[in-house]
Amino acid sequence: MSNHLYPHFGILLVDDEEPFLRSMSIALERSGGFTHIYRCQDSRKAMDIIASEPIGLVLLDLTMPHITGEQLLQQIVADYPDVGVIILSGLNQLETAMNCIRLGAYDYYVKTTDDDRLIEGIRRAVRMQEMRTENQALRQRFLNDTLEQPEAFADIITQDKSMRSVFQYLESIAPSNQPVLISGESGVGKEQIAHAIHKLSRRSGPVVCVNVAGLDDAVFADTLFGHRRGAFTGADKARAGMIEQAAEGTLFLDEIGDLSPSSQVKLLRLLQEGEYYPLGSDRPKRIRARVVVATHHNLEQKQQSGEFRKDLYYRLRIHQVEIPPLRKRKADLGILLEYFLSEAAQEMGKSKPTIPKELPVLLENYDFPGNIRELRALAYDAMSQHRSHILSMSVFRRILDIETPPPDPNENLCPVHFNDQVSLPTLQEMGDLLIDEAMRRAQGNQSLASRLIGISQPALSKRLKKKGL
C-alpha cells in the first residue's frame, strides 16, 4: 500500500449512495493512481470536511437529500473559490450541465460515462489545481525571496541568483506528482538537481538513476519494466525493473534526448496511463515513483525536426527547469574552486594551498565548455601537481593556451555596429579600445590581457606605455 498520498491535496467524493462512493474510490485509486481521497455520504457535512481537511477537488453528485448538489456547488464557489468542483450526475441534461458550469463547476459528467473518459477528466482537473497551487507558492517565494527547505540544496555549491530562482521554483513544484524535465549543458549538475527534487518531495523510497543513452528498445524495456521468469531466452528468474525499485521514490532518467523513437512510445504510455507491463506479463503494474528526466539536448528543436515525439515532449515539460552553465555563473567560480581544492587535498593527503590572486581573474575569462565537471577536473589536476605553498598556475594557464580553431567563413558572425552619424574610429583608436577592454576583463593583469587579444606581454606593455599607462 502506498504511503505517499497523491495528489498533495485531497479529493472529496460527495454522494448519498454508499455503493457509488465505494466503487468510485476504487476506480480513482486503481485507474487514476489517486490515493488522497475523502468520502462524504451526507451533503450537510461536506462544508465541514472542506474546512478541516486539505481539499483541493470535489466530485459532487447533484441529486441528494438535505442539501442539493447545486446548492452545495454555490457554497463551495463562494467560500472556497480555489477548490475545484466536478459534477457527477445521473442525468444527461444539457441545460443542467450548462447551469453548473455557469455557477463555477470545472466540468460535468454523467455517471454512466466511460470510466477512462471520467478518469482522464479528473486527471486534467488535478493538473489544473496543481498548477494553481504551484503558481501561488512560487509567487509567494519570489515576493519573500525565501527558501523553505534550504537543507535540500546543501550539496549544491552556489551563490548565484539565477540558481536561487531555480531552487524557489523546485520548492513550488515539490508536492506535484508530475514529471520534471531538467535541461542544461553537460557538467552543470543535473543529477544533483534531481536528488534535490527527491528531498523536497519527502518521498519515502530511493532515488534510482538510469542513463538511457545508447539503450536499445529491448534493453530499455527490460531495464525499466523488469521481466517475469521465462519472458525470453536466459530469463531463468523474475527481475524487478527500475520503476519497481524506485517505488515511493524518484526514477531519474538521464540523457532522455537520446532515447529511440520506439522507447519514446513506451515512456509516453507509462506517463499517460501511469502503468506498465513487465516483459512476459499480461498484468499491469502502477508506477509509484515520480519521474524526473534530464537532457543536454534542446528537446524543442528535436521535436520540431521530428527526432523527438511532440506528445512526449509536452508531457515531460509540465515542469521544466533550465540549469545555467558555469560561464553564466561567474560568482560561483571562487567558492567552487575552494571547495574542489579542499576536496582534492583531503583525498590526496595534502594541505590546501594558497590560491594566487590572479587565478580567479584567469578563470573568469574562460568559457568552461565542460562546466562544473571541467573545473573539478582542473582543480584535481592542479592539486596532484602541487608542491609548494602557493598553488601553481600552470594547469590553469594551459586552458588559455589551447589553440582555437579558425573561424568558419560561412558562419554568420555578429558584426560590430557603428553609428552612421559619427565618423569611423582610426585603427589606432580601435586598437586602444581593444586593449582597454582586455585590461578591464583581466582586472589589470597584463599577462592575462595579452593572452586574451593574442599578442605578447612585452608588446602589450609597449602599447600601454605609449598610452601613458
Side-chain angles (χ1 to χ4, degrees):
M1 182 71 179
S2 172
N3 58 7
H4 179 76
L5 296 178
Y6 175 70
H8 68 277
F9 54 81
I11 300 176
L12 175 62
L13 310 182
V14 185
D15 198 296
D16 61 312
E17 298 178 2
E18 175 59 30
F20 178 78
L21 288 175
R22 186 167 56 252
S23 63
M24 191 65 202
S25 298
I26 294 172
L28 286 174
E29 184 165 359
R30 289 182 178 175
S31 301
F34 303 112
T35 56
H36 200 174
I37 299 172
Y38 298 82
R39 300 192 299 192
C40 176
Q41 194 174 349
D42 187 340
S43 58
R44 293 171 296 184
K45 299 179 180 179
M47 295 302 291
D48 291 336
I49 296 175
I50 295 174
S52 60
E53 303 294 345
I55 304 300
L57 181 64
V58 178
L59 307 186
L60 181 61
D61 182 32
L62 273 186
T63 309
M64 295 182 293
H66 309 303
I67 302 176
T68 68
E70 191 171 311
Q71 293 172 325
L72 197 52
L73 169 62
Q74 295 179 67
Q75 290 184 39
I76 296 172
V77 170
D79 296 347
Y80 300 96
D82 288 339
V83 174
V85 180
I86 292 179
I87 301 297
L88 300 179
S89 173
L91 303 175
N92 187 4
Q93 295 180 341
L94 179 60
E95 185 178 347
T96 302
M98 292 303 296
N99 187 52
C100 289
I101 299 298
R102 280 194 296 269
L103 290 174
Y106 175 79
D107 215 334
Y108 182 103
Y109 289 94
V110 180
K111 288 183 177 179
T112 55
T113 299
D114 177 64
D115 282 351
D116 290 341
R117 181 166 168 264
L118 174 58
I119 294 297
E120 185 55 37
I122 295 172
R123 282 199 186 107
R124 285 196 299 271
V126 166
R127 284 198 292 268
M128 287 293 292
Q129 288 299 101
E130 286 180 333
M131 289 174 62
R132 176 185 293 177
T133 56
E134 288 159 14
N135 287 337
Q136 290 173 343
L138 184 58
R139 189 182 305 115
Q140 192 64 38
R141 285 180 174 85
F142 277 132
L143 288 174
N144 296 334
D145 194 25
T146 57
L147 289 175
E148 293 184 1
Q149 300 182 57
E151 67 279 0
F153 308 103
D155 294 334
I156 302 175
I157 311 299
T158 184
Q159 57 185 15
D160 184 72
K161 288 184 177 180
S162 62
M163 288 298 292
R164 185 176 180 84
S165 297
V166 168
F167 296 165
Q168 290 173 328
Y169 174 74
L170 295 179
E171 283 194 337
S172 71
I173 66 172
S176 172
N177 206 44
Q178 299 301 323
V180 183
L181 170 60
I182 306 170
S183 54
E185 298 177 6
S186 295
V188 294
K190 296 188 287 293
E191 186 169 340
Q192 284 184 312
I193 294 295
H195 281 270
I197 293 171
H198 175 75
K199 292 176 184 177
L200 290 169
S201 302
R202 301 188 184 278
R203 305 184 71 93
S204 59
V207 180
V208 175
C209 303
V210 184
N211 189 319
V212 301
L215 296 184
D216 63 32
D217 299 330
V219 175
F220 173 80
D222 188 34
T223 300
L224 258 63
F225 308 144
H227 61 257
R228 293 187 61 187
R229 179 181 178 186
F232 50 83
T233 303
D236 53 350
K237 60 181 179 180
R239 187 183 69 82
M242 295 298 188
I243 297 174
E244 189 170 344
Q245 294 177 35
E248 311 304 339
T250 301
L251 178 65
F252 176 55
L253 304 179
D254 200 5
E255 301 299 350
I256 199 71
D258 296 319
L259 208 57
S260 71
S262 179
S263 294
Q264 290 176 33
V265 174
K266 294 181 175 71
L267 180 59
L268 176 63
R269 187 183 185 284
L270 173 70
L271 297 176
Q272 283 182 332
E273 307 299 330
E275 61 182 27
Y276 63 97
Y277 291 84
L279 300 184
S281 174
D282 56 1
R283 292 186 177 183
K285 290 186 175 183
R286 289 210 63 81
I287 180 172
R288 294 183 292 125
R290 187 177 192 180
V291 176
V292 177
V293 302
T295 180
H296 69 278
H297 292 290
N298 186 324
L299 288 191
E300 184 173 6
Q301 290 181 358
K302 287 181 76 74
Q303 64 92 11
Q304 289 175 352
S305 64
E307 299 175 75
F308 200 85
R309 290 184 64 95
K310 184 178 295 187
D311 44 8
L312 176 58
Y313 169 66
Y314 287 117
R315 176 68 66 172
L316 290 174
R317 62 165 292 177
I318 292 175
H319 299 308
Q320 182 176 9
V321 60
E322 175 85 20
I323 310 303
L326 186 56
R327 63 180 172 276
K328 294 183 178 180
R329 295 161 50 188
K330 299 291 188 181
D332 285 346
L333 284 170
I335 59 172
L336 283 170
L337 179 61
E338 290 275 2
Y339 177 81
F340 291 139
L341 287 175
S342 297
E343 185 181 63
Q346 185 175 4
E347 285 190 20
M348 299 177 191
K350 296 182 177 182
S351 58
K352 182 174 171 292
T354 301
I355 298 176
K357 62 180 181 179
E358 62 267 31
L359 180 54
V361 181
L362 174 70
L363 298 181
E364 286 179 10
N365 287 278
Y366 179 61
D367 277 348
F368 283 100
N371 291 290
I372 297 173
R373 187 181 296 130
E374 182 180 8
L375 177 60
R376 184 177 186 272
L378 286 170
Y380 268 71
D381 190 12
M383 198 66 216
S384 66
Q385 300 178 38
H386 170 62
R387 294 293 181 270
S388 63
H389 178 66
I390 298 178
L391 184 69
S392 171
M393 293 274 289
S394 61
V395 170
F396 300 96
R397 285 200 179 99
R398 200 182 306 143
I399 63 177
L400 286 184
D401 287 337
I402 299 174
E403 290 187 17
T404 55
D408 186 350
N410 298 319
E411 185 179 359
N412 293 323
L413 299 176
C414 180
V416 177
H417 294 284
F418 296 98
N419 189 339
D420 293 336
Q421 308 301 319
V422 180
S423 60
L424 289 172
T426 65
L427 287 175
Q428 177 67 39
E429 290 170 338
M430 286 296 293
D432 290 343
L433 290 172
L434 182 61
I435 288 173
D436 290 343
E437 178 62 17
M439 289 295 289
R440 185 191 67 80
R441 293 191 182 190
Q443 298 182 18
N445 187 306
Q446 292 188 25
S447 177
L448 177 57
S450 64
R451 291 169 182 266
L452 293 178
I453 58 177
I455 64 175
S456 67
Q457 196 274 332
L460 175 63
S461 180
K462 185 177 180 181
R463 293 290 296 266
L464 290 172
K465 286 179 180 177
K466 282 185 178 182
K467 285 167 58 70
L469 300 177

